Amino acid sequence: MVTMWPPPYHSDVVCIKINPRIKEGLCCMWTNSSSLFNMVTLLDHPGLIRRSLVRTQIKIKNSVYCTDVEKWRKFSETYTDDTKEVNLLATVLLAANMSFLAIQSIDNIGLSYLPQRFSYLSLLAALASIVMGAAVRSPRLFTNHGRFSFEAMILILGFPFECFLYSILFFLLAILVHCAKHKAVLQLVCTGILAMFLLCCLVVYWLITEPCNDIDSLHERFTTPAKERAATTS
């Protein structure tokens, strides 16, 4: 089978050209610390919602916006699918917490046992994620009327996912503290290694990529015509 490289030129092809942050040096980690913090702590979910909402808003004049209905429809469909998945995972985590609390050696100690407290916090966070996800699974039409309303919308739409992350965190803390109290060194060491590996992966992922939502207009962000690419490679 014969393959052609580079691929033949097509006039209707649009390529994406980005400059990864890693090429700008590590100083970009300081100048974009809020974006990096969102990636490491919340997996960039608030940033995803912020960029999506921005794309749905059209500025008419100073501080006056209207909503692009078609882009809002696409965002709403994507958000609904994501929320359904989060609710499903939160339900699984809820069942995991119930199973953990039902262990006889944990249940007999009572609420003074720290892992049990963490498990209850995880259970409550999972419930909050499910309830809030059910409330906002199909976002109501939103038009930006000021900074407060915009930030409030980001917080509300991100609440189910953030509660789910907190639920995971509390559940992991419950297991880790339980292992520590029983001197399970191997499990603790493996957890530390995996946590460091995950952190490194998130930082590297943030450094070498740029955010690009499904509803983004690609020709407005980091794009160059394919003809330019062909000219540079010839």
Side-chain angles (χ1 to χ4, degrees):
M1 180 177 180
V2 179
T3 58
M4 298 179 62
W5 186 261
Y9 165 73
H10 298 283
S11 59
D12 58 342
V13 174
V14 177
C15 66
I16 301 175
K17 183 179 181 180
I18 66 173
N19 294 318
R21 294 184 180 92
I22 196 170
K23 290 187 177 181
E24 301 174 7
L26 295 180
C27 62
C28 70
M29 297 178 67
W30 175 257
T31 56
N32 298 282
S33 57
S34 60
S35 175
L36 178 59
F37 179 79
N38 281 333
M39 172 61 73
V40 173
T41 58
L42 297 172
L43 306 184
D44 197 34
H45 196 263
L48 174 68
I49 295 177
R50 179 184 298 275
R51 294 187 298 270
S52 299
L53 289 179
V54 167
R55 296 299 305 170
T56 64
Q57 302 301 301
I58 301 175
K59 190 172 184 179
I60 302 176
K61 55 183 180 180
N62 292 338
S63 302
V64 178
Y65 292 85
C66 66
T67 303
D68 187 318
V69 177
E70 182 62 24
K71 289 183 178 180
W72 180 264
R73 183 186 62 81
K74 293 179 180 179
F75 165 69
S76 180
E77 291 175 354
T78 303
Y79 181 83
T80 299
D81 293 339
D82 290 344
T83 303
K84 288 180 180 178
E85 293 179 2
V86 170
N87 278 4
L88 178 61
L89 294 174
T91 304
V92 174
L93 194 55
L94 187 67
N97 276 286
M98 295 299 294
S99 299
F100 181 79
L101 292 171
I103 297 175
Q104 187 174 3
S105 60
I106 294 176
D107 186 53
N108 290 339
I109 299 176
L111 292 177
S112 60
Y113 190 47
L114 188 58
Q116 193 176 40
R117 294 180 180 180
F118 281 134
S119 184
Y120 274 116
L121 289 174
S122 175
L123 187 148
L124 292 174
L127 283 174
S129 175
I130 294 171
V131 173
M132 194 64 183
V136 298
R137 64 187 183 279
S138 296
R140 295 162 62 93
L141 187 63
F142 167 76
T143 299
N144 183 19
H145 292 292
R147 183 174 181 83
F148 173 78
S149 62
F150 189 78
E151 296 297 333
M153 192 65 172
I154 295 173
L155 178 64
I156 292 170
L157 293 182
F159 192 76
F161 185 81
E162 291 158 13
C163 281
F164 172 66
L165 287 182
Y166 293 141
S167 181
I168 293 177
L169 176 62
F170 285 130
F171 185 65
L172 288 176
L173 285 174
I175 294 177
L176 291 177
V177 173
H178 182 69
C179 291
K181 286 184 175 293
H182 290 80
K183 299 180 180 180
V185 179
L186 178 61
Q187 289 86 337
L188 294 175
V189 171
C190 291
T191 302
I193 294 174
L194 289 174
M196 291 301 298
F197 180 73
L198 175 62
L199 179 62
C200 291
C201 286
L202 289 175
V203 173
V204 172
Y205 178 67
W206 180 83
L207 284 171
I208 64 176
T209 59
E210 285 287 346
C212 187
N213 296 356
D214 292 337
I215 64 173
D216 280 348
S217 178
L218 294 181
H219 67 275
E220 295 178 4
R221 301 181 66 253
F222 311 112
T223 59
T224 55
K227 186 179 295 185
E228 180 180 338
R229 180 184 62 179
T232 57
T233 56
S234 60

Coordinates of all heavy atoms in Angstrom, one line a residue, residues 182-217:
H182 N -3.5 1.2 59.4 CA -3.1 -0.2 59.5 C -1.7 -0.5 58.9 O -1.4 -1.6 58.6 CB -4.2 -1.0 58.7 CG -5.5 -1.0 59.4 ND1 -6.4 0.0 59.3 CD2 -6.1 -2.0 60.2 CE1 -7.5 -0.3 60.0 NE2 -7.4 -1.5 60.5
K183 N -1.0 0.6 58.7 CA 0.4 0.5 58.3 C 0.6 -0.3 57.0 O 1.5 -1.1 56.8 CB 1.3 -0.1 59.4 CG 1.3 0.7 60.7 CD 2.1 0.1 61.7 CE 2.1 0.9 63.0 NZ 2.9 0.3 64.1
A184 N -0.2 0.0 56.0 CA -0.1 -0.6 54.7 C 0.8 0.2 53.8 O 0.4 1.1 53.0 CB -1.5 -0.7 54.0
V185 N 2.1 0.0 54.0 CA 3.1 0.9 53.4 C 3.1 0.7 51.9 O 3.3 1.7 51.2 CB 4.5 0.5 54.0 CG1 5.6 1.4 53.3 CG2 4.5 0.7 55.5
L186 N 3.0 -0.5 51.4 CA 3.0 -0.7 49.9 C 1.9 0.1 49.2 O 2.2 0.8 48.2 CB 2.9 -2.2 49.6 CG 2.9 -2.6 48.2 CD1 4.2 -2.2 47.5 CD2 2.6 -4.1 48.0
Q187 N 0.7 0.1 49.8 CA -0.4 0.8 49.1 C -0.1 2.3 49.2 O -0.4 3.0 48.2 CB -1.7 0.5 49.8 CG -2.2 -0.9 49.6 CD -1.6 -1.9 50.6 OE1 -0.6 -1.7 51.1 NE2 -2.3 -3.0 50.8
L188 N 0.4 2.8 50.2 CA 0.7 4.2 50.4 C 1.8 4.7 49.4 O 1.7 5.7 48.8 CB 1.1 4.6 51.8 CG 0.0 4.4 52.8 CD1 0.6 4.7 54.2 CD2 -1.2 5.4 52.6
V189 N 2.8 3.9 49.2 CA 3.9 4.2 48.3 C 3.4 4.2 46.9 O 3.7 5.1 46.1 CB 5.1 3.2 48.5 CG1 6.1 3.4 47.4 CG2 5.8 3.4 49.8
C190 N 2.6 3.2 46.5 CA 2.1 3.1 45.2 C 1.2 4.3 44.9 O 1.2 4.9 43.8 CB 1.3 1.8 45.0 SG 2.4 0.3 44.9
T191 N 0.4 4.7 45.9 CA -0.5 5.9 45.7 C 0.3 7.1 45.5 O 0.0 8.0 44.6 CB -1.4 6.0 46.9 OG1 -2.1 4.8 47.1 CG2 -2.3 7.2 46.8
G192 N 1.4 7.3 46.3 CA 2.2 8.5 46.1 C 2.9 8.5 44.7 O 2.9 9.6 44.1
I193 N 3.3 7.4 44.2 CA 4.0 7.4 42.9 C 2.9 7.7 41.8 O 3.2 8.5 40.9 CB 4.6 6.0 42.6 CG1 5.8 5.7 43.6 CG2 5.0 5.9 41.2 CD1 6.3 4.3 43.5
L194 N 1.8 7.1 41.9 CA 0.7 7.4 40.9 C 0.3 8.9 41.0 O 0.0 9.5 39.9 CB -0.5 6.5 41.2 CG -0.3 5.0 40.8 CD1 -1.5 4.2 41.2 CD2 0.0 4.8 39.3
A195 N 0.2 9.4 42.2 CA -0.2 10.8 42.3 C 0.8 11.7 41.7 O 0.4 12.7 41.0 CB -0.4 11.2 43.8
M196 N 2.1 11.5 41.9 CA 3.1 12.3 41.3 C 3.1 12.2 39.8 O 3.3 13.1 39.0 CB 4.5 11.9 41.8 CG 4.7 12.3 43.3 SD 4.5 14.1 43.6 CE 5.8 14.7 42.5
F197 N 2.9 10.9 39.3 CA 2.8 10.7 37.8 C 1.6 11.5 37.2 O 1.8 12.1 36.2 CB 2.7 9.2 37.6 CG 2.7 8.9 36.1 CD1 3.8 9.0 35.3 CD2 1.5 8.4 35.5 CE1 3.7 8.7 33.9 CE2 1.4 8.1 34.2 CZ 2.5 8.2 33.4
L198 N 0.5 11.4 37.9 CA -0.7 12.1 37.4 C -0.5 13.6 37.4 O -0.8 14.3 36.4 CB -1.9 11.8 38.3 CG -3.2 12.5 38.0 CD1 -3.7 12.2 36.6 CD2 -4.2 12.2 39.1
L199 N 0.2 14.1 38.4 CA 0.4 15.6 38.5 C 1.4 16.0 37.3 O 1.1 17.0 36.6 CB 1.1 15.9 39.8 CG 1.4 17.4 40.0 CD1 0.2 18.3 39.9 CD2 2.1 17.6 41.4
C200 N 2.4 15.2 37.1 CA 3.4 15.5 36.0 C 2.7 15.5 34.7 O 2.9 16.3 33.8 CB 4.5 14.5 36.0 SG 5.6 14.7 37.5
C201 N 1.8 14.5 34.5 CA 1.1 14.4 33.2 C 0.2 15.6 32.9 O 0.1 16.1 31.8 CB 0.2 13.1 33.2 SG 1.2 11.6 33.0
L202 N -0.5 16.0 34.0 CA -1.4 17.2 33.8 C -0.6 18.4 33.5 O -1.0 19.2 32.6 CB -2.2 17.4 35.1 CG -3.3 16.4 35.4 CD1 -3.9 16.6 36.8 CD2 -4.3 16.4 34.3
V203 N 0.6 18.6 34.1 CA 1.4 19.8 33.9 C 1.9 19.8 32.4 O 1.9 20.8 31.7 CB 2.5 19.9 34.9 CG1 3.5 21.1 34.5 CG2 2.0 20.2 36.3
V204 N 2.4 18.6 32.0 CA 3.0 18.5 30.7 C 1.9 18.7 29.6 O 2.1 19.3 28.6 CB 3.7 17.1 30.5 CG1 4.1 16.9 29.1 CG2 4.9 17.1 31.4
Y205 N 0.7 18.1 29.9 CA -0.4 18.2 29.0 C -0.8 19.7 28.8 O -1.1 20.2 27.7 CB -1.6 17.4 29.6 CG -2.9 17.5 28.7 CD1 -2.9 17.0 27.5 CD2 -4.0 18.1 29.3 CE1 -4.1 17.0 26.7 CE2 -5.2 18.2 28.5 CZ -5.2 17.7 27.2 OH -6.3 17.7 26.5
W206 N -0.8 20.4 29.9 CA -1.1 21.9 29.9 C -0.1 22.6 29.1 O -0.4 23.6 28.4 CB -1.2 22.4 31.3 CG -1.5 23.9 31.4 CD1 -2.8 24.4 31.3 CD2 -0.6 24.9 31.6 NE1 -2.6 25.8 31.5 CE2 -1.3 26.1 31.6 CE3 0.8 25.0 31.7 CZ2 -0.7 27.4 31.8 CZ3 1.4 26.2 31.9 CH2 0.6 27.4 32.0
L207 N 1.2 22.2 29.2 CA 2.3 22.9 28.6 C 2.3 22.7 27.1 O 2.7 23.6 26.3 CB 3.6 22.5 29.2 CG 4.0 23.0 30.5 CD1 5.3 22.4 31.1 CD2 4.2 24.6 30.5
I208 N 1.9 21.6 26.6 CA 2.1 21.3 25.2 C 0.8 21.4 24.4 O 0.8 21.1 23.2 CB 2.6 19.9 25.0 CG1 1.7 18.8 25.5 CG2 4.0 19.7 25.6 CD1 2.1 17.4 25.2
T209 N -0.3 21.8 25.0 CA -1.6 21.9 24.3 C -2.2 23.3 24.5 O -1.8 24.1 25.3 CB -2.6 20.9 24.8 OG1 -2.8 21.0 26.2 CG2 -2.0 19.5 24.5
E210 N -3.2 23.6 23.7 CA -4.1 24.8 23.8 C -5.5 24.3 23.9 O -5.9 23.3 23.2 CB -3.9 25.7 22.6 CG -2.6 26.4 22.6 CD -2.5 27.6 23.6 OE1 -3.6 27.9 24.1 OE2 -1.4 28.1 23.9
P211 N -6.3 25.0 24.7 CA -7.7 24.6 24.8 C -8.5 24.9 23.5 O -8.2 25.9 22.8 CB -8.3 25.5 25.9 CG -7.4 26.7 25.9 CD -6.0 26.2 25.5
C212 N -9.3 24.0 23.1 CA -10.1 24.2 21.9 C -11.5 23.5 22.1 O -11.5 22.2 22.0 CB -9.4 23.6 20.7 SG -10.2 24.0 19.1
N213 N -12.5 24.2 22.4 CA -13.8 23.6 22.6 C -14.5 23.2 21.3 O -14.2 23.7 20.2 CB -14.7 24.6 23.3 CG -14.2 24.9 24.7 OD1 -13.2 24.4 25.1 ND2 -14.9 25.8 25.4
D214 N -15.4 22.3 21.4 CA -16.2 21.9 20.2 C -16.9 23.0 19.5 O -17.0 23.0 18.3 CB -17.2 20.8 20.6 CG -16.5 19.5 21.0 OD1 -15.3 19.3 20.7 OD2 -17.1 18.7 21.7
I215 N -17.4 24.0 20.3 CA -18.1 25.0 19.6 C -17.3 26.2 19.2 O -17.8 27.2 18.7 CB -19.2 25.6 20.6 CG1 -18.6 26.2 21.8 CG2 -20.2 24.5 21.0 CD1 -19.6 26.9 22.8
D216 N -16.0 26.1 19.4 CA -15.1 27.2 19.0 C -15.1 27.3 17.5 O -15.2 26.3 16.8 CB -13.7 26.9 19.5 CG -13.5 27.3 21.0 OD1 -14.4 28.0 21.5 OD2 -12.5 27.0 21.5
S217 N -14.9 28.4 17.0 CA -14.7 28.7 15.6 C -13.2 28.5 15.3 O -12.4 29.4 15.6 CB -15.2 30.1 15.2 OG -15.0 30.3 13.8

